[in-house]
Amino acid sequence: MTITAPRIIAPDRPQLLDWIGSTRESEGLHFSDGATGWDFWSYPRLAALARTVADALVADGVHPGDRVSVVARAGAPLIGSIFGVMLAGATPNAL
């Protein structure tokens, strides 16, 4: 099952996942690489990571409304995982 759009969006925050559909490679986030500077992740690249996480969670049996704990260092993997949990319809719990 491939997830291309969020299944659940908080009714009071409909724009929370709108960036997932962005195709602009020039827009995105900069994450500290911890040593020499910044690592740029375009929104499409980050969205691809989030979709991969969401697909894996759904394949592992995560359902809308479930809670999923995320353990990762600060950076793109953490953000991609948090949004992937939301794309799967679950609630992220960052540890």
Side-chain angles (χ1 to χ4, degrees), residues 8-57:
I8 295 178
I9 296 177
D12 58 336
R13 295 190 177 116
Q15 299 84 16
L16 184 62
L17 298 173
D18 282 355
W19 65 272
I20 294 287
S22 174
T23 59
R24 296 184 181 184
E25 290 289 337
S26 63
E27 295 179 356
L29 301 174
H30 289 87
F31 297 96
S32 172
D33 68 10
T36 60
W38 297 94
D39 184 22
F40 177 75
W41 278 64
S42 69
Y43 286 133
R45 181 179 175 200
L46 198 55
L49 174 59
R51 286 187 188 101
T52 298
V53 170
D55 289 343
L57 290 171

